[in-house]
Amino acid sequence: MRIYLLTSPRWILGVIIGLASGILIGLVARFDIPLTWPEALVCGAVIGSLLGVTLVFSVDRQRRQLRAAAGDLPPQMLAAAHRAAGGGPIPVDADVRGAAAKIAAQQLLFLRRNRSTFIVFMTVLVVSTAFNVLDGFGWGTMVPIVVGAATIAFGLYWPRRLRDRIQQLSVDGHTQPPDNA
């Protein structure tokens, strides 16, 4: 998540999520269903608005937890800590390094809580979309298969990567990955 998304007001996040998903859904509705442009725009606007409002609360909770894990760092140091939590060079500053380890631990905890739900949901998405393709639906429905497979791979790989990153960032061993993660 970009630093401006961590520090921006909640409504901006809702507009970004709603607009992006509305455009994507409108394009899929126009070219894959196919609907006329006005119908596709209305479909994208309605579904994008609903997704924006719904997802903003879930994402906002995660943003608050990540900001709390980072502590009271100024925005530039918060950006450096957030980048270091995901990869890149290990920060020299002990405060940034500790915040990065706490951010990575918070991300690992979030993934652990939601990992099986994501994998089950994406597996159902991939299998049902594959049946739709075999049943004669358009090849535009292959996008959910690719997205679902990538999400499953991410869900299996990223926790291990975060545990390794926490160990690299831990200066004196005080920040440990959560158990069973």
Side-chain angles (χ1 to χ4, degrees), residues 3 41 44 63 77 108 117 129 148 154 174:
I3 191 63
L41 289 175
R63 285 183 341 147
M77 293 176 81
L108 184 61
T117 303
T129 306
F154 176 80
H174 288 297

Side-chain angles (χ1 to χ4, degrees), residues 71-136:
D72 294 330
L73 292 177
Q76 291 173 329
M77 293 176 81
L78 179 61
H82 193 267
R83 277 192 306 272
I90 304 291
V92 177
D93 186 359
D95 291 337
V96 175
R97 188 179 203 164
K102 290 176 184 174
I103 288 171
Q106 183 63 40
Q107 290 174 339
L108 184 61
L109 185 64
F110 176 76
L111 283 174
R112 190 180 100 207
R113 275 185 268 162
N114 299 308
R115 182 176 175 181
S116 56
T117 303
F118 283 144
I119 291 174
V120 167
F121 178 74
M122 287 301 145
T123 303
V124 169
L125 177 73
V126 167
V127 170
S128 65
T129 306
F131 281 124
N132 285 339
V133 169
L134 293 174
D135 230 10

Side-chain angles (χ1 to χ4, degrees), residues 36-102:
T36 64
W37 275 112
E39 293 170 336
L41 289 175
V42 169
C43 180
V46 169
I47 295 175
S49 299
L50 291 173
L51 281 173
V53 169
T54 304
L55 290 178
V56 75
F57 292 106
S58 171
V59 172
D60 188 55
R61 181 178 46 134
Q62 184 182 5
R63 285 183 341 147
R64 282 192 316 267
Q65 291 169 346
L66 288 176
R67 283 194 309 258
D72 294 330
L73 292 177
Q76 291 173 329
M77 293 176 81
L78 179 61
H82 193 267
R83 277 192 306 272
I90 304 291
V92 177
D93 186 359
D95 291 337
V96 175
R97 188 179 203 164
K102 290 176 184 174

